[in-house]
Amino acid sequence: QFQLVESGGGLVQPGGSLRLSCEAPGFTLDGANIGWFRQAPGKDREGVACIGSGYDLTGYADSVKGRFTISTDKAKNTVYLQMNSLKPEDTANYYCAADRDPRVPICTLLPLYANWGQGTQVTVSS
C-alpha cells in the first residue's frame, strides 16, 4: 500500500483546460499500472484513462477520447492527466489509482487498483 496525492483541480469554463497531477511520495510509480477515475455525485466511479506499467500502452474512456491525455514524468515520479475541451459533464472528483500487482490487468479502466488518492475536484461551469 502506498499513498497517492492528486492536485490541479479547480473551476474552469466549458472549453477550457486543466492538468491534473498524481504523485506517490516515497514510492516509485515506475513499473506500476496507473489509472485516472472520476466520480460525480450520485454516479458510479468511472475510469477515464490508464497507462500500462511499461508506459507504452494507454487507454481512454470513449467519453474523453481525443480530449484527455495521460502521461508520466519518471524524473518527477508524477502522472498527469491533461484535460482539454472540458465540458460540464466532466465535472467530478478525479482520483488516481496505481498498483504493482501483476494480477491487475495492464491499463484497466476498472477500479481494480489497490492504491487510491483522495481526489481533486474539477468543476466545469460558466
Side-chain angles (χ1 to χ4, degrees):
Q1 297 286 337
F2 53 89
Q3 180 186 13
L4 296 170
V5 180
E6 303 96 336
S7 62
L11 173 64
V12 62
Q13 292 187 342
S17 298
L18 281 175
R19 188 178 75 162
L20 306 183
S21 300
C22 174
E23 298 176 84
F27 182 85
T28 178
L29 290 173
D30 190 16
N33 289 304
I34 303 164
W36 278 100
F37 292 77
R38 66 186 181 186
Q39 188 166 21
K43 295 189 176 181
D44 293 335
R45 189 165 294 192
E46 173 191 20
V48 297
C50 60
I51 189 163
S53 59
Y55 298 157
D56 57 355
L57 176 66
T58 57
Y60 299 92
D62 288 343
S63 57
V64 307
K65 202 170 293 184
R67 299 188 298 121
F68 290 12
T69 303
I70 187 170
S71 63
T72 61
D73 186 328
K74 289 185 180 181
K76 295 183 178 180
N77 197 38
T78 301
V79 178
Y80 301 101
L81 184 68
Q82 178 67 43
M83 306 186 296
N84 299 328
S85 302
L86 283 161
K87 306 174 181 180
E89 51 264 42
D90 294 318
T91 295
N93 205 11
Y94 282 71
Y95 303 86
C96 66
D99 207 313
R100 302 181 68 92
D101 190 330
R103 295 171 294 180
V104 174
I106 294 175
C107 192
T108 179
L109 295 179
L110 297 175
L112 303 176
Y113 302 84
N115 306 282
W116 293 79
Q118 294 299 307
T120 184
Q121 178 67 35
V122 172
T123 302
V124 185
S125 175
S126 55

